[in-house]
Amino acid sequence: MPDNPYFKAFEHRQPPNWAPFSRRRATVWHGLAGATVAFSALYLHWRWTASLNPEALLFSIAVALAETLFFLGTLIFYFDIWDEGDTPRARPPTTRAEAALDQAPGAPITVDIFITTYDEDADVVRPSIADAQAVRVPPGHTVAIWLLDDGRRDSFRAIAKDSGVGYLTRPDNRGYKAGNLRNALFHTGGDFVVICDADTRLFPSFLENTLGYFQDPQVAWVQTPHWFYDIPEGRPWAETLAHATGLSPQSTALRWASAGLRAITGRPGSGSDPFLSEPGLFFDIIQRRRNRHGASFCCGAGSVHRREAVFHGALRQLGQDVAQVRKVCPAAPLGAVDLQPYRFHVSEDIYTSILLQSDPQKRWTSVYHPQVEARMLSPWTMQAWATQRLKYAGGTFDIMIHANPIWRRGMPWRTKLHYAATFWSYLACLWAPIMLVAPVLSLMTGMAPVHAYSLEFFAHFLPAILVS
């Protein structure tokens, strides 16, 4: 158990058990989604054919166009999360042949656990090392744990030595985390690589529950959910209201008020998850449902990678990079371009996922393991939260502009649609302001974006929005 009192306060927490949808829930969801699409399509047909205001035509078209773009986003999003498709679990392979590795009679399957760190405190990293050492090793496997210190700290070298784990560093920070992982890959030789951030604390069952998927030779990586075990739970609404009013939390008035606040806010109490960091929606809904097409992408921490796949994708991309450089500079030496097992990018995990999923030769795929196998720390400050979100958004926009998978050959069309859903969700910031400004502009100028009586408008609009 960690020595730091902060961590001890949350040690008792257990991860959620995300059960799959029942057939009844799936039927209700599909029915409502289908009805939403139908009513929305009818509404938009009416908007474009019967409700544009000729007296404010540009304004009316702009609003209708924004509504249409939101509808297209809904269609892509419904495809993205339409159904679950969990990959059947399998026991860990016991031989190299079962793991689709090279034949080496009697040789074990080797696993490297990488714990990356740059400027984190020792109190954060020590529990991660201890929990990695507590991971159960399946029969026929050997495990090596490595502390990858991009901060080049003598104190962390000593921590690694005292803990009995390997220590790797490098003279610079080129490529950031991806460069750190690249350096480690060149100094190790495990058949499979587990990626951990400094605060990633693996559960003992991690390898037992993830390595079995690699019996499929096309599986390049397995991603597990992120679970932030230190998110503040806050106080129940009844206690908050009792403190403010002096009434008993068991009083009828406070019970009714608490129920109303839960319904309105969707939260069990005040002060819970203040930065909205809980990642369950993304992992259990989006990532889990992309798995049905092998389209979930790597999220870094808590993932396991087949070394062969990582290097195969890197060598293939290196050839393309060299060809591109020599188009510009025919005399450029081969060493002018680096081999990048994990792409040097702010979102190296999703970028590398795209490279592997678009490989027409190997047809690599991914597996999303739906149950939590590690605990992690949430952002502690608003600045940390904003930095994290900026990284996600900036990396996604950069990939969309410079390496858009939709235009890559070799990637299955279903996988492309899943990536399109990611990009579209970020692009909504371009047309959302139109919908926000439209009511204000109407009030200030008297222009209406709809040319219809109120009853006619609501007859078309309300079914779509209420079913949605």
Side-chain angles (χ1 to χ4, degrees), residues 97-183:
E98 285 186 346
L101 299 169
D102 60 279
Q103 299 299 315
I109 301 167
T110 55
V111 180
D112 290 323
I113 298 179
F114 291 165
I115 301 174
T116 60
T117 179
Y118 172 58
D119 59 0
E120 295 82 6
D121 292 339
D123 284 349
V124 172
V125 176
R126 281 197 185 96
S128 301
I129 295 175
D131 285 354
Q133 292 175 315
V135 170
R136 292 189 290 268
V137 181
H141 294 68
T142 61
V143 173
I145 301 169
W146 299 89
L147 183 62
L148 315 184
D149 180 21
D150 246 9
R152 296 175 287 281
R153 293 161 289 183
D154 291 336
S155 60
F156 274 61
R157 186 188 297 272
I159 290 173
K161 183 178 180 180
D162 293 343
S163 303
V165 303
Y167 177 84
L168 291 171
T169 189
R170 54 190 180 131
D172 56 48
N173 299 107
R174 186 164 177 268
Y176 302 101
K177 181 181 176 181
N180 195 5
L181 293 170
R182 173 184 184 267
N183 178 67

Side-chain angles (χ1 to χ4, degrees), residues 235-284:
R235 289 200 301 179
W237 286 118
E239 291 184 14
T240 303
L241 293 173
H243 179 75
T245 62
L247 299 175
S248 168
Q250 305 303 321
S251 67
T252 302
L254 287 195
R255 286 205 305 270
W256 278 99
S258 299
L261 286 172
R262 282 196 300 271
I264 293 169
T265 65
R267 299 164 77 97
S270 62
S272 61
D273 191 11
F275 299 150
L276 300 179
S277 299
E278 167 57 47
L281 174 64
F282 172 72
F283 282 99
D284 191 48

Side-chain angles (χ1 to χ4, degrees), residues 417-441:
L417 271 181
H418 287 295
Y419 279 109
T422 297
F423 300 143
W424 200 270
S425 67
Y426 281 100
L427 287 173
C429 67
L430 299 178
W431 44 86
I434 298 175
M435 302 301 296
L436 295 173
V437 170
V440 178
L441 192 60

Side-chain angles (χ1 to χ4, degrees), residues 303-318:
S303 60
V304 193
H305 300 245
R306 186 189 294 272
R307 178 182 288 262
E308 175 199 353
V310 173
F311 274 99
H312 184 275
L315 289 168
R316 176 172 170 265
Q317 187 62 36
L318 177 65

Side-chain angles (χ1 to χ4, degrees), residues 118-423:
Y118 172 58
D119 59 0
E120 295 82 6
D121 292 339
D123 284 349
V124 172
V125 176
R126 281 197 185 96
S128 301
I129 295 175
D131 285 354
Q133 292 175 315
V135 170
R136 292 189 290 268
V137 181
H141 294 68
T142 61
V143 173
I145 301 169
W146 299 89
L147 183 62
L148 315 184
D149 180 21
D150 246 9
R152 296 175 287 281
R153 293 161 289 183
D154 291 336
S155 60
F156 274 61
R157 186 188 297 272
I159 290 173
K161 183 178 180 180
D162 293 343
S163 303
V165 303
Y167 177 84
L168 291 171
T169 189
R170 54 190 180 131
D172 56 48
N173 299 107
R174 186 164 177 268
Y176 302 101
K177 181 181 176 181
N180 195 5
L181 293 170
R182 173 184 184 267
N183 178 67
L185 286 171
F186 287 163
H187 288 86
T188 59
D191 300 307
F192 298 102
V193 174
V194 179
I195 296 180
C196 301
D197 288 340
D199 64 339
T200 305
R201 298 176 55 192
L202 303 177
F203 291 161
S205 60
F206 185 89
L207 294 180
E208 293 175 336
N209 292 340
T210 56
L211 290 177
Y213 298 113
F214 289 102
Q215 292 197 42
D216 181 348
Q218 288 183 291
V219 172
W221 74 90
V222 175
Q223 179 66 55
T224 66
H226 291 180
W227 173 54
F228 299 142
Y229 72 107
D230 66 331
I231 291 178
E233 294 178 304
R235 289 200 301 179
W237 286 118
E239 291 184 14
T240 303
L241 293 173
H243 179 75
T245 62
L247 299 175
S248 168
Q250 305 303 321
S251 67
T252 302
L254 287 195
R255 286 205 305 270
W256 278 99
S258 299
L261 286 172
R262 282 196 300 271
I264 293 169
T265 65
R267 299 164 77 97
S270 62
S272 61
D273 191 11
F275 299 150
L276 300 179
S277 299
E278 167 57 47
L281 174 64
F282 172 72
F283 282 99
D284 191 48
I285 301 297
I286 297 175
Q287 282 279 66
R288 187 172 193 170
R289 289 163 180 264
R290 290 182 175 192
N291 186 70
R292 73 189 190 275
H293 295 140
S296 62
F297 55 80
C298 175
C299 298
S303 60
V304 193
H305 300 245
R306 186 189 294 272
R307 178 182 288 262
E308 175 199 353
V310 173
F311 274 99
H312 184 275
L315 289 168
R316 176 172 170 265
Q317 187 62 36
L318 177 65
Q320 296 178 8
D321 291 344
V322 170
Q324 188 172 5
V325 168
R326 288 188 169 172
K327 276 185 180 179
V328 180
C329 181
L334 181 61
V337 181
D338 283 334
L339 177 67
Q340 299 178 21
Y342 293 100
R343 200 69 177 166
F344 290 2
H345 192 267
V346 67
S347 297
E348 80 287 336
D349 38 22
I350 187 172
Y351 203 132
T352 302
S353 302
I354 290 169
L355 297 181
L356 292 176
Q357 289 171 332
S358 59
D359 188 332
Q361 179 184 356
K362 287 289 190 174
R363 298 288 181 184
W364 298 114
T365 188
S366 63
V367 169
Y368 178 72
H369 175 75
Q371 298 306 324
V372 175
E373 299 291 345
R375 64 180 76 191
M376 304 170 191
L377 296 174
S378 64
W380 286 351
T381 65
M382 180 60 76
Q383 182 180 359
W385 177 90
T387 300
Q388 184 187 71
R389 292 303 191 275
L390 181 62
K391 175 186 174 183
Y392 295 160
T396 301
F397 269 109
D398 185 77
I399 290 173
M400 179 175 60
I401 294 170
H402 296 110
N404 199 314
I406 295 173
W407 316 122
R408 293 185 71 90
R409 295 180 180 179
M411 180 176 284
W413 67 268
R414 292 181 180 86
T415 305
K416 291 183 177 183
L417 271 181
H418 287 295
Y419 279 109
T422 297
F423 300 143

